[in-house]
Amino acid sequence: MAMEGSESAHDEPSSEVQQNQSPRKSTSPPGNEEKGIHLSFLLSNAEAGSIIGKGGSTINEIQSQSGARVQLSRNFEYFPGTSDRIIMVSGAVEDILKAVDLILSKLLEEFFVEDGAEGDPESKIRLVVPNSSCGGIIGKGGATIRSLIEDSRADIKISPQDMYFPGLHDRLVTVTGTLPDQMRAIELILLKLVKDQYYQQSTHAPFPYAALVYNNGMNYGPNGVGGMHQNNRPPSKEDKSSSVTIGVADEHIGLVVGRGGRSIMEISQISGARLKISDRGDFMSGTTNRKVTITGPQRAIRAAESMILGKVASVASVAER
């Protein structure tokens, strides 16, 4: 699968693809077609490769059919706390919706696993929405989000604010349901965002997080429920979140954190787990080992624990020589 197709696909001028009009009836408020807006969501590496296609053929076809511009963050440029890339679709509302419909249909076709259940398959999409715009989706006392759920019949959940990474200004809005229900929910959410002046000002490159820096909180992890779930696979028992605390010698804790927090960020991004390190002087009972609490799905916890122990073991083996 030619992942380098993403690079060539991002650099195409949007004017080349926006001449084609989507057959979807326009739902955007007057004037927004000229301004152009965007919608971002997450894809696994495998899903991103499917959307790019060989030599960028699939992503170019989606752009041509929809009239929207489709951009992807590069390989290994992940949304903080996940192992998922960011895809950004921009253009007029109806063109964005057409492109998203094409993308989700493609993913269902390639990645959905039949489970024997009757009815249309359900999948999950995680939208990336600026924190400042989430209030308009939630509404007073949750009234708006309840209305969106009732209208679309999709399940809509917004990740909590207290799971921020340093420098992260977005939250994940997870929409679960059949494709028609998802598309109705996405349409309703997008129409809310179009009216939000802060959202209009938030258009940025698909990957704005390359410069995230470490802070003293030492608290890194998936932003919201379902951080490790791929968009089109139902959750399993292994996806349920839990926590494990391990001890790391105080003199080795720097290896886990890394310069500027790079190591702990890398461990969190690759594993999908949330890591929290105890304060100085806060040790495991009866030891001088700092507490490292790992939270997430079982597979994410195992991956993070293995990476941490590997870093510590590599130093121990050198010291023994």
Side-chain angles (χ1 to χ4, degrees):
M1 192 170 289
M3 301 304 291
E4 61 270 14
S6 63
E7 297 182 16
S8 61
H10 314 162
D11 298 329
E12 292 186 352
S14 56
S15 59
E16 292 181 13
V17 297
Q18 289 179 348
Q19 294 172 358
N20 299 318
Q21 294 300 314
S22 164
R24 179 185 289 270
K25 184 179 179 181
S26 174
T27 51
S28 55
N32 277 293
E33 294 86 353
E34 288 73 31
K35 293 180 183 179
I37 56 170
H38 72 281
L39 184 73
S40 296
F41 54 99
L42 304 187
L43 295 179
S44 69
N45 256 325
E47 291 167 337
S50 171
I51 296 306
I52 292 166
K54 188 173 183 179
S57 59
T58 303
I59 197 171
N60 287 334
E61 181 65 19
I62 290 170
Q63 291 185 118
S64 177
Q65 288 187 29
S66 67
R69 187 180 187 200
V70 183
Q71 298 170 276
L72 275 151
S73 63
R74 299 180 192 279
N75 200 8
F76 303 116
E77 291 184 336
Y78 301 137
F79 186 83
T82 76
S83 55
D84 296 306
R85 292 163 70 177
I86 304 172
I87 183 168
M88 185 170 79
V89 184
S90 54
V93 168
E94 65 271 20
D95 295 343
I96 291 174
L97 292 171
K98 177 62 176 175
V100 173
D101 198 344
L102 291 169
I103 291 167
L104 295 186
S105 297
K106 173 76 171 173
L107 296 178
L108 272 177
E109 178 185 326
E110 292 203 10
F111 292 96
F112 182 76
V113 178
E114 293 288 347
D115 58 5
E118 295 182 0
D120 293 335
E122 292 195 352
S123 62
K124 162 182 309 193
I125 179 173
R126 286 163 295 152
L127 308 177
V128 180
V129 177
N131 180 55
S132 58
S133 301
C134 286
I137 299 174
I138 296 170
K140 187 174 182 180
T144 301
I145 195 169
R146 285 196 296 271
S147 173
L148 297 178
I149 291 170
E150 183 178 346
D151 189 326
S152 68
R153 297 183 298 181
D155 182 51
I156 304 172
K157 293 182 179 177
I158 301 179
S159 63
Q161 284 183 260
D162 61 0
M163 297 190 79
Y164 274 1
F165 274 64
L168 177 61
H169 303 296
D170 294 314
R171 292 163 74 178
L172 295 180
V173 178
T174 302
V175 180
T176 305
T178 63
L179 181 57
D181 293 349
Q182 281 182 316
M183 288 306 305
R184 177 58 179 163
I186 292 168
E187 180 177 15
L188 293 171
I189 290 169
L190 190 55
L191 291 176
K192 288 286 181 186
L193 295 175
V194 166
K195 299 173 184 177
D196 183 346
Q197 61 176 331
Y198 298 106
Y199 188 79
Q200 293 281 0
Q201 297 166 4
S202 71
T203 302
H204 44 50
F207 186 68
Y209 299 116
L212 279 184
V213 294
Y214 164 78
N215 75 353
N216 291 329
M218 298 206 304
N219 193 355
Y220 299 85
N223 188 32
V225 177
M228 286 295 291
H229 295 171
Q230 294 185 356
N231 289 333
N232 292 280
R233 298 181 187 177
S236 66
K237 291 180 181 179
E238 286 247 320
D239 290 317
K240 292 182 179 179
S241 185
S242 59
S243 294
V244 169
T245 299
I246 63 174
V248 174
D250 197 29
E251 63 267 27
H252 293 153
I253 206 70
L255 295 171
V256 180
V257 176
R259 184 185 295 272
R262 289 179 184 175
S263 291
I264 196 170
M265 177 84 70
E266 181 184 56
I267 293 169
S268 180
Q269 286 181 335
I270 293 173
S271 69
R274 177 174 179 251
L275 277 64
K276 186 172 184 180
I277 300 176
S278 63
D279 296 331
R280 289 180 180 177
D282 184 5
F283 300 128
M284 300 281 284
S285 180
T287 74
T288 56
N289 293 340
R290 298 271 287 279
K291 302 172 187 174
V292 181
T293 302
I294 310 169
T295 304
Q298 287 298 315
R299 63 171 65 89
I301 291 174
R302 289 195 297 268
E305 186 174 359
S306 177
M307 293 175 71
I308 291 168
L309 297 179
K311 285 181 179 293
V312 175
S314 65
V315 172
S317 63
V318 170
E320 289 173 0
R321 292 175 185 174

